[in-house]
Amino acid sequence: MTINQAAESADPEQGGPAHLVLVHDVSKFYDTGAERVHALREVSFDVSRGELVAVVGRSGSGKTTLLSILAGLERPTSGQVWFDGLELTDLSREGLRTLRRERMALVFQSFALLPMLTAAENVGVPMRLARRPAGFREQRARDLLRLVGLEGRTHLRPQELSGGEQQRVAIARGLANNASLLLADEPTGQLDAATGAQIMMLLRKIVHAEGMTGIVATHDKALIDLADRVLTLHSGVLSEERVAA
Ligand code: ADP
Ligand code: MG
């Protein structure tokens, strides 16, 4: 099967291609003054619907670059990426922004919450951008904050919440618009081990419960154990280790 057939082969059960994400021969170079940095080298893999994939590798191995390309925040130097049958390199910047807003949940190490807004208002931000009415936003924010275990804390601002609670708010915000792909870049990097393990279990639960697909860059043993698959980056080269069943 050619790569195009793979990208387009519709799965009648799912109403789309069998793979949610397909990465083919992606390389990314950065030219910085005298040097060319090879952040990714001919990376290929696919992710099926419902999978939770961990991307591991030491600092500088290309994890953030890979997630940025999957999110359409960066373009590959060469190679192709499909998301649900759409080739990202065919989309305009505005098309990518819309795709990100409507189909992807992005979670970062830094949480990136707005400090002046309450937990519920932060969760409501993507729904505001999607012009959802206030009543709908409030109800959904309450439901999502309950899902991440923060019922009763919806009215608090980020600085009144612990790091783990802030990350839960960020995850709830990512879920607000029914994303199909969760992309998380070292989401437990600023948390202690026990809190990090709870966040990873939450991500695992959400991917299952919400029928999502997850790709998470992490050093965290807790997620590596919970993931369906582990992809390893070494200086931009990807290899796959099957998780023992
Ligand atoms: P990781 O997330 O695994 O730490 P990154 O994807 O951030 O790795 O970085 C991979 C390599 O690409 C590193 O050598 C990094 O310095 C380089 N790099 C990343 N972004 C840029 C950029 N915007 N300009 C130049 N080099 C970059
Ligand atoms: Mg990184």
Side-chain angles (χ1 to χ4, degrees):
M1 189 157 51
T2 69
I3 195 78
N4 284 316
Q5 286 166 334
E8 285 162 12
S9 65
D11 177 349
E13 302 253 304
Q14 302 276 3
H19 299 124
L20 185 66
V21 173
L22 192 55
V23 175
H24 180 66
D25 234 356
V26 162
S27 294
K28 179 70 179 180
F29 306 153
Y30 292 106
D31 282 314
T32 56
E35 258 198 303
R36 166 165 282 196
V37 178
H38 293 239
L40 295 174
R41 298 167 188 259
E42 294 167 13
V43 166
S44 296
F45 64 99
D46 53 62
V47 179
S48 300
R49 289 165 199 279
E51 272 192 307
L52 179 62
V53 174
V55 177
V56 302
R58 62 178 56 168
S59 180
S61 60
K63 302 181 298 297
T64 296
T65 303
L66 178 60
L67 290 180
S68 302
I69 288 173
L70 294 175
L73 291 163
E74 299 240 27
R75 294 193 189 265
T77 308
S78 61
Q80 294 129 300
V81 178
W82 285 268
F83 172 79
D84 206 6
L86 287 172
E87 193 185 337
L88 296 194
T89 43
D90 284 344
L91 299 180
S92 65
R93 198 184 271 265
E94 182 53 35
L96 289 169
R97 195 177 301 131
T98 304
L99 185 69
R100 224 171 11 250
R101 193 191 294 155
E102 294 180 355
R103 304 289 310 277
M104 298 181 187
L106 307 186
V107 176
F108 305 100
Q109 181 175 337
S110 60
F111 320 139
L113 299 174
L114 296 171
M116 303 300 288
L117 301 186
T118 66
E121 288 163 348
N122 266 287
V123 174
V125 166
M127 294 186 274
R128 268 180 188 276
L129 292 172
R131 299 179 194 284
R132 300 289 198 165
F136 175 92
R137 295 199 306 262
E138 284 156 22
Q139 181 60 50
R140 181 144 175 84
R142 260 198 305 280
D143 292 346
L144 288 168
L145 287 166
R146 186 175 328 110
L147 176 73
V148 300
L150 286 181
E151 60 271 45
R153 305 188 71 67
T154 60
H155 57 292
L156 299 179
R157 288 174 214 283
Q159 68 271 20
E160 299 171 302
L161 298 168
S162 70
E165 288 171 336
Q166 290 180 53
Q167 191 58 297
R168 286 170 191 270
V169 175
I171 292 167
R173 177 187 55 189
L175 299 176
N177 284 341
N178 289 316
S180 40
L181 179 64
L182 175 87
L183 293 173
D185 193 2
E186 305 202 37
T188 63
Q190 290 190 11
L191 305 175
D192 64 71
T195 310
Q198 286 170 3
I199 292 293
M200 288 307 189
M201 280 188 300
L202 175 64
L203 291 177
R204 166 85 273 179
K205 178 183 109 174
I206 284 169
V207 166
H208 270 309
E210 303 286 297
M212 295 176 82
T213 303
I215 302 176
V216 184
T218 187
H219 294 289
D220 208 313
K221 184 79 173 61
L223 179 79
I224 297 167
D225 290 343
L226 292 170
D228 297 313
R229 282 160 70 199
V230 179
L231 303 177
T232 305
L233 278 167
H234 288 285
S235 306
V237 177
L238 190 88
S239 58
E240 172 154 8
E241 296 160 32
R242 286 273 162 195
V243 178

PDB file of all heavy atoms in Angstrom, residues 131-151:
ATOM      1  N   ARG A 131     -17.150  30.688  20.065  1.00  0.00           N
ATOM      2  CA  ARG A 131     -18.404  31.444  20.174  1.00  0.00           C
ATOM      3  C   ARG A 131     -19.548  30.623  20.742  1.00  0.00           C
ATOM      4  O   ARG A 131     -20.701  30.715  20.289  1.00  0.00           O
ATOM      5  CB  ARG A 131     -18.816  32.021  18.806  1.00  0.00           C
ATOM      6  CG  ARG A 131     -17.782  32.967  18.250  1.00  0.00           C
ATOM      7  CD  ARG A 131     -18.189  33.518  16.896  1.00  0.00           C
ATOM      8  NE  ARG A 131     -17.073  34.161  16.232  1.00  0.00           N
ATOM      9  CZ  ARG A 131     -16.608  35.355  16.558  1.00  0.00           C
ATOM     10  NH1 ARG A 131     -17.168  36.061  17.513  1.00  0.00           N
ATOM     11  NH2 ARG A 131     -15.580  35.854  15.910  1.00  0.00           N
ATOM     12  N   ARG A 132     -19.237  29.808  21.744  1.00  0.00           N
ATOM     13  CA  ARG A 132     -20.286  29.076  22.457  1.00  0.00           C
ATOM     14  C   ARG A 132     -20.968  30.016  23.442  1.00  0.00           C
ATOM     15  O   ARG A 132     -20.311  30.857  24.058  1.00  0.00           O
ATOM     16  CB  ARG A 132     -19.678  27.914  23.243  1.00  0.00           C
ATOM     17  CG  ARG A 132     -18.947  26.920  22.395  1.00  0.00           C
ATOM     18  CD  ARG A 132     -19.913  26.137  21.581  1.00  0.00           C
ATOM     19  NE  ARG A 132     -19.308  24.908  21.091  1.00  0.00           N
ATOM     20  CZ  ARG A 132     -20.008  23.917  20.592  1.00  0.00           C
ATOM     21  NH1 ARG A 132     -21.313  24.010  20.483  1.00  0.00           N
ATOM     22  NH2 ARG A 132     -19.409  22.832  20.172  1.00  0.00           N
ATOM     23  N   PRO A 133     -22.271  29.861  23.640  1.00  0.00           N
ATOM     24  CA  PRO A 133     -22.973  30.736  24.576  1.00  0.00           C
ATOM     25  C   PRO A 133     -22.527  30.505  26.027  1.00  0.00           C
ATOM     26  O   PRO A 133     -22.037  29.433  26.383  1.00  0.00           O
ATOM     27  CB  PRO A 133     -24.443  30.364  24.395  1.00  0.00           C
ATOM     28  CG  PRO A 133     -24.471  29.101  23.621  1.00  0.00           C
ATOM     29  CD  PRO A 133     -23.153  28.933  22.935  1.00  0.00           C
ATOM     30  N   ALA A 134     -22.715  31.543  26.854  1.00  0.00           N
ATOM     31  CA  ALA A 134     -22.197  31.536  28.226  1.00  0.00           C
ATOM     32  C   ALA A 134     -22.724  30.352  29.036  1.00  0.00           C
ATOM     33  O   ALA A 134     -21.970  29.697  29.759  1.00  0.00           O
ATOM     34  CB  ALA A 134     -22.536  32.855  28.912  1.00  0.00           C
ATOM     35  N   GLY A 135     -24.029  30.068  28.916  1.00  0.00           N
ATOM     36  CA  GLY A 135     -24.606  28.981  29.705  1.00  0.00           C
ATOM     37  C   GLY A 135     -23.978  27.637  29.368  1.00  0.00           C
ATOM     38  O   GLY A 135     -23.664  26.833  30.253  1.00  0.00           O
ATOM     39  N   PHE A 136     -23.763  27.427  28.081  1.00  0.00           N
ATOM     40  CA  PHE A 136     -23.119  26.192  27.612  1.00  0.00           C
ATOM     41  C   PHE A 136     -21.702  26.101  28.169  1.00  0.00           C
ATOM     42  O   PHE A 136     -21.280  25.060  28.686  1.00  0.00           O
ATOM     43  CB  PHE A 136     -23.103  26.184  26.076  1.00  0.00           C
ATOM     44  CG  PHE A 136     -22.354  25.024  25.474  1.00  0.00           C
ATOM     45  CD1 PHE A 136     -23.024  23.849  25.136  1.00  0.00           C
ATOM     46  CD2 PHE A 136     -20.978  25.106  25.243  1.00  0.00           C
ATOM     47  CE1 PHE A 136     -22.331  22.774  24.580  1.00  0.00           C
ATOM     48  CE2 PHE A 136     -20.287  24.031  24.688  1.00  0.00           C
ATOM     49  CZ  PHE A 136     -20.964  22.866  24.360  1.00  0.00           C
ATOM     50  N   ARG A 137     -20.969  27.220  28.093  1.00  0.00           N
ATOM     51  CA  ARG A 137     -19.571  27.227  28.556  1.00  0.00           C
ATOM     52  C   ARG A 137     -19.495  26.894  30.037  1.00  0.00           C
ATOM     53  O   ARG A 137     -18.652  26.107  30.464  1.00  0.00           O
ATOM     54  CB  ARG A 137     -18.943  28.615  28.349  1.00  0.00           C
ATOM     55  CG  ARG A 137     -18.793  29.039  26.921  1.00  0.00           C
ATOM     56  CD  ARG A 137     -17.763  30.165  26.787  1.00  0.00           C
ATOM     57  NE  ARG A 137     -18.018  31.315  27.637  1.00  0.00           N
ATOM     58  CZ  ARG A 137     -18.627  32.435  27.240  1.00  0.00           C
ATOM     59  NH1 ARG A 137     -19.074  32.549  26.002  1.00  0.00           N
ATOM     60  NH2 ARG A 137     -18.790  33.436  28.076  1.00  0.00           N
ATOM     61  N   GLU A 138     -20.382  27.510  30.814  1.00  0.00           N
ATOM     62  CA  GLU A 138     -20.320  27.310  32.264  1.00  0.00           C
ATOM     63  C   GLU A 138     -20.617  25.858  32.632  1.00  0.00           C
ATOM     64  O   GLU A 138     -19.938  25.270  33.467  1.00  0.00           O
ATOM     65  CB  GLU A 138     -21.285  28.276  32.965  1.00  0.00           C
ATOM     66  CG  GLU A 138     -20.723  29.690  33.005  1.00  0.00           C
ATOM     67  CD  GLU A 138     -21.791  30.773  33.143  1.00  0.00           C
ATOM     68  OE1 GLU A 138     -22.914  30.451  33.619  1.00  0.00           O
ATOM     69  OE2 GLU A 138     -21.503  31.918  32.753  1.00  0.00           O
ATOM     70  N   GLN A 139     -21.636  25.297  31.981  1.00  0.00           N
ATOM     71  CA  GLN A 139     -21.988  23.906  32.272  1.00  0.00           C
ATOM     72  C   GLN A 139     -20.858  22.962  31.866  1.00  0.00           C
ATOM     73  O   GLN A 139     -20.457  22.082  32.636  1.00  0.00           O
ATOM     74  CB  GLN A 139     -23.280  23.534  31.516  1.00  0.00           C
ATOM     75  CG  GLN A 139     -23.757  22.113  31.771  1.00  0.00           C
ATOM     76  CD  GLN A 139     -24.063  21.866  33.256  1.00  0.00           C
ATOM     77  OE1 GLN A 139     -24.784  22.653  33.885  1.00  0.00           O
ATOM     78  NE2 GLN A 139     -23.503  20.807  33.822  1.00  0.00           N
ATOM     79  N   ARG A 140     -20.304  23.180  30.679  1.00  0.00           N
ATOM     80  CA  ARG A 140     -19.247  22.271  30.203  1.00  0.00           C
ATOM     81  C   ARG A 140     -17.989  22.436  31.043  1.00  0.00           C
ATOM     82  O   ARG A 140     -17.303  21.445  31.351  1.00  0.00           O
ATOM     83  CB  ARG A 140     -18.969  22.521  28.715  1.00  0.00           C
ATOM     84  CG  ARG A 140     -17.909  21.591  28.156  1.00  0.00           C
ATOM     85  CD  ARG A 140     -18.168  21.168  26.728  1.00  0.00           C
ATOM     86  NE  ARG A 140     -17.062  20.361  26.214  1.00  0.00           N
ATOM     87  CZ  ARG A 140     -16.945  19.049  26.405  1.00  0.00           C
ATOM     88  NH1 ARG A 140     -17.866  18.390  27.070  1.00  0.00           N
ATOM     89  NH2 ARG A 140     -15.907  18.397  25.917  1.00  0.00           N
ATOM     90  N   ALA A 141     -17.651  23.663  31.425  1.00  0.00           N
ATOM     91  CA  ALA A 141     -16.468  23.875  32.276  1.00  0.00           C
ATOM     92  C   ALA A 141     -16.642  23.129  33.598  1.00  0.00           C
ATOM     93  O   ALA A 141     -15.716  22.480  34.088  1.00  0.00           O
ATOM     94  CB  ALA A 141     -16.250  25.368  32.523  1.00  0.00           C
ATOM     95  N   ARG A 142     -17.848  23.199  34.174  1.00  0.00           N
ATOM     96  CA  ARG A 142     -18.103  22.460  35.426  1.00  0.00           C
ATOM     97  C   ARG A 142     -17.935  20.960  35.223  1.00  0.00           C
ATOM     98  O   ARG A 142     -17.297  20.277  36.020  1.00  0.00           O
ATOM     99  CB  ARG A 142     -19.533  22.747  35.926  1.00  0.00           C
ATOM    100  CG  ARG A 142     -19.614  23.779  37.042  1.00  0.00           C
ATOM    101  CD  ARG A 142     -20.947  23.705  37.791  1.00  0.00           C
ATOM    102  NE  ARG A 142     -22.111  23.813  36.923  1.00  0.00           N
ATOM    103  CZ  ARG A 142     -22.595  24.963  36.443  1.00  0.00           C
ATOM    104  NH1 ARG A 142     -22.020  26.115  36.761  1.00  0.00           N
ATOM    105  NH2 ARG A 142     -23.656  24.975  35.662  1.00  0.00           N
ATOM    106  N   ASP A 143     -18.498  20.443  34.125  1.00  0.00           N
ATOM    107  CA  ASP A 143     -18.401  19.005  33.839  1.00  0.00           C
ATOM    108  C   ASP A 143     -16.944  18.572  33.666  1.00  0.00           C
ATOM    109  O   ASP A 143     -16.521  17.530  34.172  1.00  0.00           O
ATOM    110  CB  ASP A 143     -19.183  18.646  32.567  1.00  0.00           C
ATOM    111  CG  ASP A 143     -20.692  18.802  32.755  1.00  0.00           C
ATOM    112  OD1 ASP A 143     -21.139  18.917  33.915  1.00  0.00           O
ATOM    113  OD2 ASP A 143     -21.412  18.813  31.731  1.00  0.00           O
ATOM    114  N   LEU A 144     -16.173  19.384  32.919  1.00  0.00           N
ATOM    115  CA  LEU A 144     -14.775  19.012  32.645  1.00  0.00           C
ATOM    116  C   LEU A 144     -13.931  19.101  33.906  1.00  0.00           C
ATOM    117  O   LEU A 144     -13.070  18.257  34.149  1.00  0.00           O
ATOM    118  CB  LEU A 144     -14.196  19.908  31.547  1.00  0.00           C
ATOM    119  CG  LEU A 144     -14.737  19.641  30.149  1.00  0.00           C
ATOM    120  CD1 LEU A 144     -14.335  20.748  29.184  1.00  0.00           C
ATOM    121  CD2 LEU A 144     -14.231  18.294  29.631  1.00  0.00           C
ATOM    122  N   LEU A 145     -14.206  20.110  34.731  1.00  0.00           N
ATOM    123  CA  LEU A 145     -13.434  20.230  35.974  1.00  0.00           C
ATOM    124  C   LEU A 145     -13.776  19.087  36.925  1.00  0.00           C
ATOM    125  O   LEU A 145     -12.921  18.615  37.674  1.00  0.00           O
ATOM    126  CB  LEU A 145     -13.644  21.608  36.609  1.00  0.00           C
ATOM    127  CG  LEU A 145     -12.918  22.729  35.834  1.00  0.00           C
ATOM    128  CD1 LEU A 145     -13.408  24.107  36.266  1.00  0.00           C
ATOM    129  CD2 LEU A 145     -11.402  22.628  36.009  1.00  0.00           C
ATOM    130  N   ARG A 146     -15.006  18.601  36.862  1.00  0.00           N
ATOM    131  CA  ARG A 146     -15.357  17.412  37.645  1.00  0.00           C
ATOM    132  C   ARG A 146     -14.591  16.193  37.104  1.00  0.00           C
ATOM    133  O   ARG A 146     -14.027  15.404  37.869  1.00  0.00           O
ATOM    134  CB  ARG A 146     -16.875  17.161  37.614  1.00  0.00           C
ATOM    135  CG  ARG A 146     -17.276  16.013  38.535  1.00  0.00           C
ATOM    136  CD  ARG A 146     -18.784  15.755  38.658  1.00  0.00           C
ATOM    137  NE  ARG A 146     -19.596  16.961  38.543  1.00  0.00           N
ATOM    138  CZ  ARG A 146     -20.384  17.215  37.494  1.00  0.00           C
ATOM    139  NH1 ARG A 146     -20.499  16.356  36.488  1.00  0.00           N
ATOM    140  NH2 ARG A 146     -21.078  18.325  37.448  1.00  0.00           N
ATOM    141  N   LEU A 147     -14.529  16.075  35.772  1.00  0.00           N
ATOM    142  CA  LEU A 147     -13.821  14.946  35.151  1.00  0.00           C
ATOM    143  C   LEU A 147     -12.351  14.889  35.608  1.00  0.00           C
ATOM    144  O   LEU A 147     -11.805  13.812  35.818  1.00  0.00           O
ATOM    145  CB  LEU A 147     -13.886  15.075  33.620  1.00  0.00           C
ATOM    146  CG  LEU A 147     -13.120  14.041  32.805  1.00  0.00           C
ATOM    147  CD1 LEU A 147     -13.835  12.684  32.859  1.00  0.00           C
ATOM    148  CD2 LEU A 147     -12.963  14.482  31.348  1.00  0.00           C
ATOM    149  N   VAL A 148     -11.718  16.056  35.760  1.00  0.00           N
ATOM    150  CA  VAL A 148     -10.304  16.066  36.163  1.00  0.00           C
ATOM    151  C   VAL A 148     -10.141  16.149  37.686  1.00  0.00           C
ATOM    152  O   VAL A 148      -9.036  16.358  38.187  1.00  0.00           O
ATOM    153  CB  VAL A 148      -9.500  17.199  35.467  1.00  0.00           C
ATOM    154  CG1 VAL A 148      -9.542  17.020  33.954  1.00  0.00           C
ATOM    155  CG2 VAL A 148     -10.008  18.576  35.875  1.00  0.00           C
ATOM    156  N   GLY A 149     -11.246  15.992  38.423  1.00  0.00           N
ATOM    157  CA  GLY A 149     -11.167  15.922  39.877  1.00  0.00           C
ATOM    158  C   GLY A 149     -11.067  17.266  40.572  1.00  0.00           C
ATOM    159  O   GLY A 149     -10.513  17.362  41.664  1.00  0.00           O
ATOM    160  N   LEU A 150     -11.603  18.331  39.960  1.00  0.00           N
ATOM    161  CA  LEU A 150     -11.505  19.658  40.557  1.00  0.00           C
ATOM    162  C   LEU A 150     -12.873  20.263  40.875  1.00  0.00           C
ATOM    163  O   LEU A 150     -13.002  21.487  40.938  1.00  0.00           O
ATOM    164  CB  LEU A 150     -10.734  20.611  39.639  1.00  0.00           C
ATOM    165  CG  LEU A 150      -9.220  20.400  39.572  1.00  0.00           C
ATOM    166  CD1 LEU A 150      -8.599  21.441  38.648  1.00  0.00           C
ATOM    167  CD2 LEU A 150      -8.578  20.490  40.950  1.00  0.00           C
ATOM    168  N   GLU A 151     -13.885  19.414  41.082  1.00  0.00           N
ATOM    169  CA  GLU A 151     -15.167  19.989  41.469  1.00  0.00           C
ATOM    170  C   GLU A 151     -14.965  20.729  42.791  1.00  0.00           C
ATOM    171  O   GLU A 151     -14.158  20.341  43.618  1.00  0.00           O
ATOM    172  CB  GLU A 151     -16.263  18.909  41.590  1.00  0.00           C
ATOM    173  CG  GLU A 151     -15.999  17.834  42.604  1.00  0.00           C
ATOM    174  CD  GLU A 151     -15.225  16.660  42.006  1.00  0.00           C
ATOM    175  OE1 GLU A 151     -14.250  16.894  41.271  1.00  0.00           O
ATOM    176  OE2 GLU A 151     -15.582  15.511  42.305  1.00  0.00           O
TER     177      GLU A 151
END
